[in-house]
Amino acid sequence: MLYARLQIFAGILILLVWPTLLHAQSITYPKDIRGYKLERAAVELKDTSKQKNPQQNTSPQLIQFGSPRVASVTPLGIGLEIPVVVSPVKQKGRVDFLVFEKMKVNGTSVEIDEYHRAFDLPNHKPLTLKEPLRFYVYLPSAIMVAIDELSSSTKEWPITGVVYVFGRFNKSIFRFKRVIPVEINLKTPNPLHDK
């Protein structure tokens, strides 16, 4: 009897701990993507703690997102626009395009098109890109979700995923063609809150 209880307890413990162990493993990246050599830590962010920015995260990331805006609500889903903010960096470089992978907004997987608008990396202050990201969250009952969010919504939505930054980055007097994966794990204001 005691042995059976211990087995049940061990089984429950494994079920509770296993997802945490799987999540703790880091993402494995290929050596190169589309002819760009992958480099994990090529861009150093500038210290912007002296700047007063109310939306600044406590742990700045190269790619951040501004406040999302609802573009459309249909019976099939919710269309959102979200500004992309690039943090200032120490070295110079030019980003060719951005690719988004495994993106989730408020726990829902979303497909975000590649961002093919080249820009120079900012060196002095954060850069908000001219075109916001546009994506559609497909939901089986989007209107019901929107109504639920209006009545009992959280103030912030978590955004997770990986943004691949493809570009040419300066290192001393040399310029290298690289892709830098930026793991996103942040929160953004809920666009349905306070509507």
Side-chain angles (χ1 to χ4, degrees):
M1 182 82 166
L2 179 62
Y3 183 72
R5 286 184 184 171
L6 285 173
Q7 283 182 322
I8 292 171
F9 177 75
I12 292 171
L13 186 62
I14 288 172
L15 288 175
L16 292 174
V17 172
W18 186 256
T20 305
L21 292 174
L22 288 177
H23 183 69
Q25 296 175 352
S26 65
I27 299 172
T28 304
Y29 296 107
K31 291 183 180 180
D32 60 40
I33 303 173
R34 299 184 190 180
Y36 290 74
K37 184 179 176 185
L38 189 126
E39 192 165 328
R40 297 254 346 207
V43 177
E44 292 182 56
L45 300 180
K46 271 195 173 173
D47 181 19
T48 57
S49 58
K50 295 174 187 169
Q51 297 178 5
K52 294 182 180 177
N53 185 356
Q55 291 188 355
Q56 185 178 10
N57 293 332
T58 54
S59 59
Q61 297 182 6
L62 177 62
I63 303 292
Q64 300 177 52
F65 297 113
S67 297
R69 184 181 77 78
V70 175
S72 64
V73 177
T74 69
L76 300 176
I78 300 171
L80 296 171
E81 292 181 351
I82 187 166
V84 179
V85 181
V86 182
S87 296
V89 295
K90 292 182 180 178
Q91 66 266 50
K92 292 186 179 190
R94 182 157 181 83
V95 174
D96 297 330
F97 61 98
L98 304 172
V99 174
F100 303 87
E101 187 177 274
K102 300 177 185 171
M103 298 300 292
K104 286 190 175 188
V105 176
N106 199 29
T108 303
S109 294
V110 295
E111 293 285 329
I112 300 178
D113 291 334
E114 296 179 6
Y115 192 89
H116 282 279
R117 291 161 195 87
F119 58 92
D120 291 324
L121 287 173
N123 295 119
H124 303 294
K125 61 181 183 176
L127 169 70
T128 301
L129 301 183
K130 291 179 183 178
E131 293 287 325
L133 295 179
R134 290 180 180 90
F135 58 93
Y136 198 77
V137 180
Y138 290 97
L139 301 170
S141 56
I143 292 178
M144 295 307 292
V145 169
I147 291 169
D148 182 51
E149 281 292 329
L150 290 172
S151 62
S152 63
S153 64
T154 58
K155 289 186 178 183
E156 295 181 319
W157 280 356
I159 297 179
T160 59
V162 178
V163 180
Y164 291 98
V165 181
F166 291 80
R168 288 150 176 54
F169 306 99
N170 296 355
K171 204 171 200 178
S172 134
I173 60 170
F174 299 104
R175 190 173 188 111
F176 295 97
K177 183 177 168 181
R178 297 283 188 261
V179 56
I180 300 166
V182 178
E183 295 177 18
I184 301 294
N185 187 5
L186 50 89
K187 294 188 179 194
T188 189
N190 178 351
L192 300 176
H193 191 73
D194 298 331
K195 294 279 182 206

